[in-house]
Structures are given as structure tokens and as C-alpha cells.
Amino acid sequence: MIIILEPHIQKDSDEYKAILKHLDNLPNIKHRVHEEHGQQQTLTEIYLIGETKILPKDEIEALTGVERVVRVSQEYRVLGRHADDDHRSCSFEYNGVTFDQNNLNVFAGLCAVDNPTHVEMMMQAVSEHGLQCTRMGAYKPRTNPYSFQGHGKNCLNYVFEIAGKYGIKVIAMEVTHEQHVKEIQQALEETGHPTGVMLQIGTRNTQNFELLKHVGRQKDMPVLIKRGFGITLEESLNAAEYLASEGNRKVVFGLRGMKTNLGDPHRNFVDFTHVPVVKRLTRMPVCIDPSHSVGTRQGSPDGLMDLMHATAQGVVAGANMILVDFHPVPSKALVDGPQALRLEELEWFLEDVRIAREAYEKRVALAAKQAH
Ligand code: PEP
Ligand code: MN
């Protein structure tokens, strides 16, 4: 059960104290307070855990200062959609960029940071095409221990400084250890916060619960959590809920394909038909990663790369974020060069995305007309 307080109720008010006292007296019920600080107001939600089925909703709703009470009808308490909670927000803003289930942000960038020249070429191209976001891998989880592991903290300062120079607002960056979060915070501090970071939980760490708890405990940076490549959707959505249960609900859910040879010759089996499913079950914006799903630049006789087909399929299904590998000189990329698009292809890629997005918007409008 979720109790949503009226926006003006302060923590030190008599109403707030009376509500908490009431809850403290309920047998076998624990509660957890979650505050969401928006630009205009603070939204306070109290989550009740325990035997809530027998609690009378009306009685709690009648308490002064309570706006409404939502019975949690589904899983994913914080991030899920529940019966009669349509008004609960699906969106969040970070560093001037809005993330929600109705818009689309493109994060084109380097799979792995290699050197400042390539970072600068990438960011310049991104900003010239009117984008505000990019991806920059500093900590790379690699299958082979002898493969390049990423420059780690050594590259953070120049990556953030160059981002500031080109007006990049958000960089998606994977972390595999809590120490990485500290290093990122420190580098942002040292460079004077020229940009923002969306912490990425990679598919290999989707169920690294201690990492999720740690990342969820910091509420400043949003989190992109990738679907685990060999677990069910439900398990991955529960992993996302770990982040929110610790306090950070600025969470984007990423689809990146499933590991099975049945997807051959693609690197993973593309699962973008789950975009609308995640939007139905949760309030998270949904990201697609065509690069790590398809894993190749191969194309078909129609002149389009599979990677662009997959992107369009995700966008036409309503995806809200695209994470895609580009590289100025793919042959020199230290990680995933063969699946990287070239800077000269960015304009084409974005135009293709626009076509797919327009098709999605037309489909939504048609569905709305049908509903009347
Ligand atoms: C990545 O985005 O760089 C990455 C390693 O992706 P995934 O965790 O989906 O394999
Ligand atoms: Mn990669």
C-alpha cells in the first residue's frame, strides 16, 4: 500500500506526525518514507510493508494530510503501475534533460573511451547534430581478463571537461563497483560539474544486488539498468526495483537482447517487442541498445544495416532512449569496433530514427481515435 501525502505537508508538521503515529500503531506493518524533490514541490510517499490487505483504505485516506492511498496490485511496488495510480509520474528530469515514457533521447557515443581526440570528435559530432546526451564507457566489464578493461578513473576528468565544452548534459557510463560511483562523483566535483552522468548497470550485473543497493542509495544520478541477458523479464524488473527500493527512482530500463544462439547471426536475440510490455508493467522509460543486441554492421539488400532495422523496430514500438555505439575510427576502437557506426552515419541514423518515431506517434494517434 502506498500513501501519497498532500504536497504541502512538511516533515515537522503536526499532520505528518499524526499520520506516522497512526501507522506506528498498526500491527505487523512497517513503513518507509520516500521523498521526491521536484522543482516546485516535494512529493512524499509512504510505503507500507506487511499485512496491508486487511487495512481499511478509507480510514487512512481520511487522515488529514493524506491525498490518496494506492493499493499495490502488482509487483514492483515503487516502479510498477498499480490500479488507480495513473496520476503517479512516469517522468524525471536530470541536468535539464527529461526522461519519460512519452519522449525519446538518443545517447550516441563511444562504447569505450580510448583517447581524448576520439572523445572530442564524438562529442563535437553529437552536439553538431543537436543531441545533449552521449555514452562513454570508462569501466568495461570484459569476457577475457586480458582484454582492455577501460581507462577507469584516469579518463573521467577529460571526458567531463570535453562534455562541458560541447554542452553535453548527460553521459551514460557503466559502473561495476561502488568505488566507480565515488570516482565519478569526485571527478564531477573536481571539474566543476560540467556535465551529468547516468550510471549504467550492465547486463552482467543486473542481479548484483549489493551494487544495485549501493547505486540506489545515491539519489543524485539517474540509473540505466540493462536487462539481464539470461534471466526473465520479471527478474530484471525486480532488479530495477532494488534501485528504487533504496531511494533512487530515476531509473531507465534497458533492453539489449538475450544471450542465445537462436539469435545467430546477431550477437544477442533482439527483444525490443518488450518495449510496450515494460511500459505497461512499470513507469520506467525504456531504452533500447541496438548495438549490443545486433552486434554487427551487416546489412540487407534494402540498403539498411540490421542495426538500423532493430533501432527502428524499437522506436516504432515506443522506445524512450537509444544507446548506440559510434566511433570516429572504428578500426582503432579498443572495444566493439565491428558494431560501431561511423560519425558520417550519424545524420542518416538520426533521420531514420525520426521516421520511425513519426510512425510511432501516428500509430498512437490512430489508437486514440479508435478508442473514442
Ligand atoms: C555496454 O553498453 O557497453 C555494455 C557492455 O552493454 P551490456 O551490459 O548490455 O553488454
Ligand atoms: Mn560494448
Side-chain angles (χ1 to χ4, degrees):
M1 187 176 265
I2 306 171
I3 303 171
I4 298 151
L5 303 191
E6 288 166 4
H8 63 272
I9 300 292
Q10 306 284 334
K11 266 193 159 164
D12 54 4
S13 66
D14 290 341
E15 292 100 325
Y16 183 84
K17 285 177 197 157
I19 294 167
L20 283 215
K21 194 164 165 217
H22 182 90
L23 300 180
D24 282 338
N25 288 329
L26 297 174
N28 302 323
I29 300 285
K30 283 198 178 119
H31 62 259
R32 183 171 201 153
V33 180
H34 180 91
E35 282 186 352
E36 193 69 21
H37 299 280
Q39 271 169 339
Q40 258 105 52
Q41 57 190 30
T42 296
L43 179 72
T44 308
E45 295 186 346
I46 305 175
Y47 294 87
L48 301 191
I49 301 153
E51 291 170 37
T52 56
K53 271 207 184 83
I54 49 167
L55 290 181
K57 186 175 174 228
D58 303 352
E59 201 175 282
I60 298 175
E61 222 151 28
L63 297 172
T64 315
V66 172
E67 188 176 284
R68 59 188 294 158
V69 173
V70 172
R71 269 201 198 281
V72 175
S73 50
Q74 305 279 346
E75 279 190 286
Y76 328 126
R77 232 170 258 261
V78 183
L79 295 173
R81 285 184 183 275
H82 307 294
D84 63 73
D85 75 341
D86 285 351
H87 65 291
R88 290 175 76 217
S89 166
C90 288
S91 80
F92 64 85
E93 205 216 82
Y94 174 65
N95 209 26
V97 181
T98 302
F99 295 88
D100 67 35
Q101 286 195 335
N102 298 315
N103 72 352
L104 176 62
N105 290 299
V106 179
F107 283 60
L110 304 181
C111 176
V113 171
D114 39 29
N115 62 53
T117 309
H118 291 158
V119 169
E120 177 136 17
M121 287 167 85
M122 187 68 236
M123 292 198 184
Q124 186 176 7
V126 162
S127 86
E128 277 172 7
H129 287 85
L131 302 177
Q132 296 181 292
C133 305
T134 187
R135 58 158 295 150
M136 288 284 147
Y139 306 94
K140 298 306 301 176
R142 304 304 302 281
T143 304
N144 185 328
Y146 306 111
S147 303
F148 173 62
Q149 303 284 311
H151 287 309
K153 69 174 181 197
N154 297 332
C155 69
L156 298 180
N157 286 36
Y158 73 73
V159 167
F160 296 160
E161 276 159 6
I162 299 171
K165 179 173 166 190
Y166 290 99
I168 308 285
K169 300 284 182 214
V170 187
I171 302 174
M173 185 176 275
E174 178 164 357
V175 290
T176 62
H177 191 276
E178 56 183 78
Q179 178 64 21
H180 303 160
V181 181
K182 252 192 234 136
E183 290 169 5
I184 289 170
Q185 280 163 334
Q186 198 179 339
L188 283 171
E189 203 69 38
E190 276 169 24
T191 52
H193 293 270
T195 187
V197 173
M198 175 179 275
L199 300 174
Q200 185 178 322
I201 304 288
T203 195
R204 292 159 188 79
N205 276 310
T206 308
Q207 285 188 314
N208 183 342
F209 300 118
E210 295 311 313
L211 178 66
L212 295 175
K213 286 188 214 167
H214 182 84
V215 169
R217 259 176 242 135
Q218 68 76 39
K219 296 181 202 157
D220 178 32
M221 292 178 271
V223 186
L224 165 65
I225 178 166
K226 297 270 198 94
R227 178 183 191 172
F229 57 37
I231 56 176
T232 64
L233 182 63
E234 188 184 339
E235 286 165 330
S236 290
L237 294 178
N238 268 304
E241 182 73 13
Y242 260 90
L243 297 160
S245 76
E246 291 293 332
N248 190 340
R249 59 166 82 182
K250 293 185 220 153
V251 184
V252 176
F253 188 79
L255 297 172
R256 46 82 71 212
M258 306 304 293
K259 194 166 214 53
T260 156
N261 289 342
L262 300 178
D264 290 357
H266 291 158
R267 182 170 172 180
N268 288 288
F269 202 172
V270 183
D271 55 351
F272 298 167
T273 43
H274 278 168
V275 169
V277 178
V278 177
K279 288 166 90 170
R280 174 171 75 239
L281 294 174
T282 78
R283 295 174 294 132
M284 288 184 277
V286 184
C287 172
I288 52 163
D289 178 343
S291 304
H292 289 84
S293 296
V294 173
T296 144
R297 290 177 48 88
Q298 278 185 326
S300 55
D302 59 15
L304 286 150
M305 283 179 254
D306 294 6
L307 211 151
M308 289 174 75
H309 274 300
T311 305
Q313 285 157 14
V315 172
V316 101
N320 309 112
M321 173 172 160
I322 304 170
L323 190 72
V324 55
D325 289 3
F326 271 78
H327 198 283
V329 199
S331 60
K332 294 222 173 123
L334 297 176
V335 184
D336 285 346
Q339 71 188 24
L341 295 173
R342 307 191 180 105
L343 298 192
E344 315 82 81
E345 291 164 339
L346 183 54
E347 191 163 317
W348 174 27
F349 179 81
L350 292 175
E351 185 55 27
D352 202 51
V353 166
R354 265 191 288 276
I355 293 169
R357 177 70 191 177
E358 202 185 308
Y360 170 70
E361 284 169 0
K362 282 186 183 158
R363 295 175 62 223
V364 171
L366 182 64
K369 220 165 95 188
Q370 205 70 23
H372 280 114

